[in-house]
Amino acid sequence: MNTFWHRFKTHKKGFWALCVLIVVMGGTFSANFWANDKPLLILCDRGVFFPVFRYYPETCFMKGEDLEMDYLAPEFSAFLKQNHGRVLWPLYRHSPYRILESHKPVPSAPCELHPLGTDEQGRDVLARLVYGTRTCLMFGLWVAILGTLLGLMIGALQGYWGGRFDLYTQRLVEIWAGLPVLFMLMIIASFLTPSLEMLTLVMALFNWRSVSAATRAEFLKARGLPYVLSAKVLGATDFRTIWRHILPNATVTGISQFPFLVNAGIASLTSLDFLGVGLKVGTPSIGELLQQAKSNLYAPWLGLYPLCTLATILILVTLVGEGVRDALDPGRSS
């Protein structure tokens, strides 16, 4: 591990891309605490409240209905004055779901209150872009994790057993590889209720072939080496031989595909949301903002900022992937 990290740090583009990506992920994954229309903390005569963590109905603060309190409403400000309340607000007081009441036509251009403007429903673009980026990163990471695990398992079994099992399985893999991934996702999403979990699972089922091919090749090469034959002679089971002896030495090529699987997942989710068959309506997404930009060509900010964000994320992940590949296999370094 120390050798890998030293090699990775010498890859300047990959190392700095990882640093920037960590900052981006930290900012998006902590968005609830700095980009929200709910206070972080409320201190008043009635007690201490943490709206960012818990749901509080209007009846907790005043006479009203059993609905969540609107903390930006004038009634809440009046409640704070009457009860000597103090509030700790997030840095950016906008939620990706809040439809703002304004006399300006929507989508509105960037201004002091909304640095990136508002979308066609009057929601803040910056807040939706931050939360949408988080959704894309989560989706890409989980797709890459599940796809890598599935590819390692299938490739290991193919390469270790070989023979007819490898022949028949490889034909099935080739048939599976011939299926149009995006169209299959669109068909499945039209039958099932779209959710992040469902799309992640379906995408992972189509996103393992590159890992499987690399792992299969490594196992076919390693199964005839002396240390593997010695393990079999000593009575090691197939599972132990695969898990303890071959897999640690055969995962380098497969794991190097991980960042590129992340990119594929992010691009797929953005495409599905752009086509309107991805996440449920109202969920913040880069693809949904790009779809709005297509419908509102007179509002270029709806497409410019999401497109720049998407390109930046994909470039950063690609540079990190190149650094990981070169660190795991120095012979391929340019």
Side-chain angles (χ1 to χ4, degrees):
M1 180 60 73
N2 291 334
T3 304
F4 164 77
W5 180 244
H6 176 72
R7 291 173 179 170
F8 182 78
K9 288 196 297 184
T10 59
H11 194 284
K12 297 300 182 182
K13 291 187 294 184
F15 176 74
W16 286 111
L18 177 63
C19 294
V20 176
L21 189 61
I22 290 175
V23 172
V24 172
M25 293 179 64
T28 56
F29 280 82
S30 62
N32 289 52
F33 300 99
W34 65 269
N36 209 331
D37 60 354
K38 299 178 183 179
L40 302 177
L41 175 66
I42 300 176
L43 295 174
C44 62
D45 295 340
R46 294 194 179 186
V48 182
F49 301 92
F50 300 93
V52 75
F53 294 108
R54 288 189 55 188
Y55 169 90
Y56 294 107
E58 295 179 355
T59 53
C60 288
F61 304 98
M62 63 190 70
K63 292 181 180 180
E65 300 180 0
D66 193 19
L67 300 174
E68 186 172 12
M69 184 66 203
D70 183 0
Y71 299 99
L72 298 180
E75 293 79 7
F76 182 71
S77 300
F79 163 80
L80 293 177
K81 292 181 180 179
Q82 295 174 1
N83 293 270
H84 308 92
R86 295 185 178 182
V87 181
L88 177 61
W89 288 99
L91 180 65
Y92 192 68
R93 299 187 193 180
H94 291 290
S95 166
Y97 307 102
R98 184 181 182 86
I99 299 177
L100 303 174
E101 298 180 0
S102 174
H103 299 292
K104 295 182 179 180
V106 292
S108 61
C111 60
E112 184 178 355
L113 183 60
H114 305 286
L116 301 187
T118 61
D119 67 0
E120 60 187 11
Q121 295 188 26
R123 298 169 297 194
D124 186 78
V125 171
L126 176 57
R128 293 190 66 80
L129 187 59
V130 170
Y131 281 76
T133 303
R134 178 175 68 181
T135 302
C136 286
L137 288 172
M138 289 177 58
F139 181 82
L141 287 173
W142 276 111
V143 165
I145 291 172
L146 296 178
T148 299
L149 293 176
L150 187 60
L152 288 175
M153 180 182 68
I154 295 176
L157 295 178
Q158 281 185 278
Y160 181 77
W161 282 331
R164 291 187 176 182
F165 177 81
D166 178 43
L167 179 64
Y168 296 147
T169 308
Q170 190 63 18
R171 299 292 83 77
L172 294 175
V173 171
E174 292 172 357
I175 294 173
W176 189 258
L179 297 175
V181 179
L182 189 59
F183 287 108
M184 292 298 296
L185 287 171
M186 292 172 60
I187 293 172
I188 294 173
S190 64
F191 283 100
L192 302 176
T193 303
S195 65
L196 189 63
E197 295 78 10
M198 184 270 290
L199 292 177
T200 300
L201 181 60
V202 173
M203 185 62 191
L205 294 176
F206 290 95
N207 216 26
W208 52 268
R209 297 187 300 271
S210 59
V211 178
S212 173
T215 306
R216 172 178 173 268
E218 293 294 329
F219 266 77
L220 286 172
K221 180 176 65 175
R223 67 176 184 164
L225 295 179
Y227 74 92
V228 177
L229 299 177
S230 300
K232 291 182 178 180
V233 171
L234 293 174
T237 62
D238 289 345
F239 176 79
R240 183 177 180 83
T241 303
I242 292 174
W243 181 257
R244 294 293 299 274
H245 299 287
I246 305 180
L247 192 61
N249 300 315
T251 56
V252 172
T253 307
I255 292 178
S256 65
Q257 300 292 324
F258 184 88
F260 305 104
L261 297 183
V262 175
N263 265 1
I266 293 174
S268 298
L269 181 62
T270 303
S271 302
L272 290 173
D273 287 332
F274 178 78
L275 296 173
V277 293
L279 300 174
K280 63 181 180 180
V281 178
T283 304
S285 171
I286 295 178
E288 187 257 352
L289 285 173
L290 292 175
Q291 196 277 334
Q292 289 191 39
K294 180 180 71 70
S295 304
N296 301 275
L297 297 178
Y298 60 89
W301 59 89
L302 287 178
L304 178 62
Y305 301 121
L307 189 61
C308 292
T309 301
L310 179 63
T312 301
I313 296 297
L314 295 180
I315 290 173
L316 289 175
V317 176
T318 300
L319 293 176
V320 172
E322 292 179 355
V324 170
R325 181 196 61 194
D326 293 344
L328 289 174
D329 191 359
R332 295 188 179 185
S333 300
S334 57

